[in-house]
Amino acid sequence: MAKRRLTQQQRTRIDRRQASRGRETDAQDPAEISGEGLGPEATGLVICHYGQQLEIESTAIDSEGQIFRCYQRTNLPPLATGDRVVWQADSDSTGVIVALQERQSLMSRPNQQANLRPVAANVTVVAVTIAPLPQAFANLIDRYLVMIHSLGLRALLILNKTDLLDAERDAALETMLKNYVGIGYPVLRVSSRGGDGIDTLREVLRPETVVFVGQSGVGKSSLINALRGEQNSPGSADVGDLSSARDKGTHTTTAARLYHMPGSGDLIDSPGIREFGLWHMDADTVFDGFVEFAPYKGMCRFRDCKHQQEPGCALKEALAKGEISEARLNSYFFLLSTLDD
Ligand SMILES: Nc1nc2c(ncn2[C@@H]2O[C@H](COP(=O)(O)OP(=O)(O)O)[C@@H](O)[C@H]2O)c(=O)[nH]1
Ligand SMILES: [Mg+2]
Ligand SMILES: [Zn+2]
């Protein structure tokens, strides 16, 4: 733990040093900058990452809101959508990122080589999006909730496509949502098609930087468009057809992209984030991610209790008393079984 904190401190210090180095160079020797053909240093926001290039939105006073295609200096770590950076223009529309500013949070996901790649930075809320169709799986929701808790972020459950709700077919879904409300997770019901609940959701998300996660086809991109009041415009998020090939798992992963809501609030759409695994976590972190289990932590008779058939198991007793749900306990066992040893 102490080791991890030190690493974080070191990283912060390095980030600061990189940020201030850009500033010093600019302030002390403008000739050197113009010698390289670069403009003055400016701040910016990473909107999207395309292979080698990043799309940066300037947050500097004299070019605020303008988009620049930038390369990043090779001494910088991999950057993510939502990162705040220092950059310098080298033409009207391109530039170079010279520093990464301190991150408030970072979501990563494993790539093909099982290395963690940063996906979204400075997120405050993760919107776990579900729908009546495609069917919601508690296991997937719980996996997101564990990840969100481990990152110290806030979770919001969004049930989209309320226009498709069918009392009979969706009884299990309603029970599941009640369970999450009981644990303390906020649940909002919306329809990006009909518009129900969209105004409320927009106000809830106003002060936040939100990343939308959830199965392909639940309507994340549609929601982002509805929240921004954008439909089928060049700047709107791509909405897929449920029956198209990309929803059968054959689609190519598209990069995470940040959208502004008019006024305030930033929304990040990321088709890739649904593939999050927890394999890199330890069992303790997974336990902590089941927030309603907290009162029973360390309360079993045996210190190495696996919560199976052991006598004096606090979790099993909580289950018998109805204090925790069987679905969540099973989900916990399932997630444990997916971890690397
Ligand atoms: N009936 C209904 N369909 C929706 C709603 N929101 C999105 N859809 C449809 O669901 C499909 C998938 O939407 P999309 O936004 O691409 O989902 P994503 O993969 O999560 O980004 C599209 O055909 C949308 O038109 C909704 O509120 N109601
Ligand atoms: Mg989408
Ligand atoms: Zn136990």
Side-chain angles (χ1 to χ4, degrees):
M1 187 62 212
K3 198 172 168 191
R4 201 182 300 161
R5 209 179 301 137
L6 191 68
T7 315
Q8 180 61 47
Q9 267 174 13
Q10 285 168 336
R11 202 174 303 136
T12 306
R13 214 176 300 138
I14 291 165
D15 289 349
R16 281 214 197 94
R17 214 177 292 146
Q18 279 164 347
S20 67
R21 192 181 300 145
R23 216 162 287 131
E24 279 160 22
T25 322
D26 189 33
Q28 289 169 2
D29 196 355
E32 190 189 311
I33 302 298
S34 58
E36 291 175 35
L38 294 178
E41 159 198 296
T43 53
L45 175 66
V46 176
I47 297 295
C48 193
H49 202 154
Y50 310 89
Q52 298 297 319
Q53 278 191 324
L54 295 106
E55 196 177 306
I56 300 299
E57 181 184 274
S58 175
T59 52
I61 296 166
D62 53 357
S63 55
E64 193 171 357
Q66 287 178 40
I67 299 293
F68 293 80
R69 285 268 184 145
C70 293
Y71 287 99
Q72 66 174 79
R73 285 266 154 87
T74 49
N75 62 323
L76 298 179
L79 299 176
T81 295
D83 264 326
R84 301 211 163 253
V85 297
V86 179
W87 65 284
Q88 294 173 277
D90 64 7
S91 79
D92 283 350
S93 62
T94 65
V96 179
I97 299 166
V98 296
L100 166 65
Q101 297 190 317
E102 200 175 331
R103 284 170 173 154
Q104 304 308 314
S105 69
L106 182 65
M107 284 181 61
S108 305
R109 97 186 150 85
N111 64 8
Q112 245 87 332
Q113 292 75 43
N115 296 316
L116 284 178
R117 298 284 304 175
V119 174
N122 299 318
V123 162
T124 56
V125 168
V126 183
V128 179
T129 311
I130 59 172
L133 287 170
Q135 199 196 331
F137 295 104
N139 249 317
L140 183 64
I141 298 172
D142 292 334
R143 184 190 322 189
Y144 287 131
L145 294 179
V146 169
M147 184 262 297
I148 294 164
H149 187 266
S150 77
L151 293 173
L153 300 175
R154 277 172 291 141
L156 171 65
L157 284 173
I158 299 179
L159 173 68
N160 186 34
K161 308 196 192 185
T162 52
D163 56 297
L164 297 184
L165 275 176
D166 175 292
E168 222 164 279
R169 185 196 60 200
D170 298 318
L173 176 65
E174 297 289 359
T175 307
M176 186 172 89
L177 286 178
K178 254 193 219 126
N179 196 7
Y180 286 115
V181 172
I183 298 166
Y185 286 109
V187 175
L188 279 179
R189 297 159 166 266
V190 301
S191 168
S192 56
R193 183 161 295 175
D196 294 347
I198 295 295
D199 289 342
T200 306
L201 178 59
R202 189 184 293 118
E203 293 320 307
V204 168
L205 300 183
R206 275 269 174 245
E208 316 291 351
T209 296
V210 188
V211 64
F212 288 79
V213 301
Q215 289 178 80
S216 184
V218 293
K220 300 179 294 294
S221 303
S222 303
L223 267 176
I224 287 175
N225 290 337
L227 288 166
R228 299 176 67 229
E230 294 260 355
Q231 235 68 253
N232 302 319
S233 75
S236 62
D238 289 340
V239 169
D241 187 325
L242 251 185
S243 62
S244 74
R246 65 180 213 144
D247 290 306
K248 291 175 185 143
T250 54
H251 74 284
T252 52
T253 317
T254 326
R257 172 173 274 278
L258 186 145
Y259 298 89
H260 298 298
M261 286 202 290
S264 68
D266 287 340
L267 313 174
I268 298 177
D269 194 7
S270 176
I273 285 184
R274 72 198 165 91
E275 286 130 28
F276 264 104
L278 301 177
W279 47 267
H280 57 287
M281 281 184 191
D282 56 36
D284 217 38
T285 309
V286 174
F287 187 99
D288 293 342
F290 285 77
V291 292
E292 78 276 29
F293 295 179
Y296 315 106
K297 191 169 185 175
M299 302 301 279
C300 301
R301 185 180 306 166
F302 300 107
R303 238 159 59 97
D304 61 347
C305 185
K306 296 278 182 282
H307 322 300
Q308 301 291 339
Q309 307 300 332
E310 295 94 331
C313 172
L315 274 185
K316 288 281 180 190
E317 281 165 16
L319 177 66
K321 286 190 217 149
E323 290 168 357
I324 62 172
S325 84
E326 184 151 38
R328 289 273 288 176
L329 189 59
N330 286 339
S331 212
Y332 166 66
F333 289 138
F334 174 76
L335 292 182
L336 272 190
S337 74
T338 66
L339 300 185
D340 278 354
D341 297 319

